[in-house]
Amino acid sequence: MILGSEGRLGVITQAVLRVRPLPCEESFLGVLFHNWEDGRRTACSLAQAGVGLSMIRLSDALETETTLALAGRERLIKLGQWAAALLGYGVDRCLMILGISAESDRDAARIRGQALDIVRMHGGFNAGGLIGKEWSKSRFRSPYLRNTLWDMGYALDTLESAVPWAGFEAARSGTLAALRDAFEASSVPGVAFSHLSHVYADGAGFYITYIFPRAGTAGETLSRWRLLKRSASDAISASGGTISHQHGVGIDHRDDLEAEKGRLGLQLLSALAGTVDPAGILNPGKLVAAPAESRS
């Protein structure tokens, strides 16, 4: 309860750390699939087979093109795209990045071999280490594009959820559709794309990036964001996904928590908060309303 409460039910004052040696081998491998569904099935198979990968990340077709455009090495990337097209990986192609972290070269080779066996079963193509290497170099730089886009007149936001495999695709595609419908209904041009990550044996997380033009005033831009965020949040709740995966609930998602936890679940959290923090001073307002807010 305390670990997941965003400081609302308690504060960690001491911690014991588990220390492990750094991997002697760490690499990222790029894999192409003909379409999203082949990649999604591969991610599920890799997770359920227990292949010792440190990361599985699958981008949809639009995010794949965006990732390749941002990777740098324009001539090499274009050559790779030309080769992929010759092999039948066309406009619907989706890029998967596999992370391999191992304590020895032998372990790394074993993990890579197991992963690629499953990849080939689903029609995937080993695109080699160049794409993975370029992705790893830019992975922590790309988020700063948010600031550049803002200066150029565009707002960017992200949202995420996690869903069991049985309902994963309906939740992801439904959330994307809700965003696109909101763009159309509000006559605001925008773009949204997604990737699958944080993979588990029983499900996975999806992460959506959406971009839209800023309005003439800050208030109008905020209204546009609220419409898009509300549409996506309603779609996530309707699909049975968690309203927030690893990013936390905070204030933005607090009103959606009842759809996920139920009224009894919220009463339980509120009772805990009232017991451990009767004055409402621990990160007030986040996750559940502070006692004073509840009384008002």
Side-chain angles (χ1 to χ4, degrees):
M1 288 287 186
I2 291 175
L3 284 176
S5 73
E6 303 175 32
R8 191 64 189 82
L9 303 180
V11 178
I12 298 170
T13 60
Q14 290 183 327
V16 177
L17 302 182
R18 179 184 294 116
V19 179
R20 295 182 179 181
L22 286 171
C24 75
E25 163 80 13
E26 183 168 62
S27 60
F28 296 94
L29 184 66
V31 174
L32 284 177
F33 291 93
H34 291 288
N35 53 59
W36 170 267
E37 187 57 22
D38 288 347
R40 186 194 66 80
R41 289 175 178 168
T42 301
C44 179
S45 296
L46 288 167
Q48 294 182 348
V51 179
L53 294 162
S54 55
M55 189 188 75
I56 302 171
R57 175 185 171 124
L58 174 69
S59 295
D60 66 16
L62 183 53
E63 185 173 286
T64 293
E65 293 309 303
T66 305
T67 299
L68 293 175
L70 294 174
R73 303 217 182 180
E74 186 176 348
R75 290 181 63 186
L76 281 174
I77 294 297
K78 283 186 176 179
L79 180 62
Q81 291 176 309
W82 174 79
L86 282 181
L87 293 170
Y89 295 85
V91 294
D92 292 328
R93 61 178 174 261
C94 293
L95 174 66
M96 178 181 284
I97 302 291
L98 301 177
I100 301 171
S101 304
E103 296 181 4
S104 70
D105 292 341
R106 184 176 180 179
D107 285 342
R110 174 182 53 80
I111 294 169
R112 185 180 292 106
Q114 290 175 343
L116 290 177
D117 283 346
I118 293 175
V119 164
R120 284 188 288 268
M121 286 172 54
H122 293 277
F125 171 70
N126 178 8
L130 176 61
I131 292 176
K133 184 177 181 180
E134 294 301 322
W135 174 85
S136 68
K137 283 167 57 178
S138 63
R139 65 184 299 194
F140 297 119
R141 294 201 305 264
S142 296
Y144 291 98
L145 286 173
R146 179 195 302 259
N147 300 336
T148 303
L149 285 167
W150 183 267
D151 291 340
M152 295 176 67
Y154 295 91
L156 179 150
D157 194 23
T158 59
L159 56 90
E160 36 90 52
S161 181
V163 193
W165 287 116
F168 179 88
E169 187 48 33
R172 183 197 71 95
S173 59
T175 306
L176 281 170
L179 282 169
R180 290 164 183 160
D181 287 346
F183 286 140
E184 185 175 352
S186 60
S187 299
V188 173
V191 64
F193 47 79
S194 67
H195 67 255
L196 175 158
S197 60
H198 298 88
V199 179
Y200 314 99
D202 52 356
F206 64 83
Y207 196 101
I208 292 177
T209 300
Y210 57 104
I211 305 168
F212 58 96
R214 289 164 50 196
T217 67
E220 290 176 286
T221 301
L222 182 60
S223 295
R224 289 182 179 182
W225 172 80
R226 283 177 171 155
L227 171 64
L228 296 166
K229 182 71 172 177
R230 180 75 270 139
S231 299
S233 295
D234 288 347
I236 288 172
S237 294
S239 69
T242 180
I243 192 59
S244 177
H245 184 206
Q246 83 277 16
H247 285 183
V249 172
I251 293 176
D252 284 347
H253 301 120
R254 192 181 73 182
D255 293 341
D256 296 286
L257 206 56
E258 184 173 337
E260 179 179 334
K261 304 298 183 188
R263 183 168 297 179
L264 184 61
L266 280 189
Q267 288 175 350
L268 175 61
L269 288 172
S270 296
L272 280 169
T275 299
V276 301
D277 181 27
I281 61 174
L282 286 173
N283 208 11
K286 309 300 192 300
L287 195 68
V288 294
E293 291 180 83
S294 299
R295 287 193 293 271
S296 63

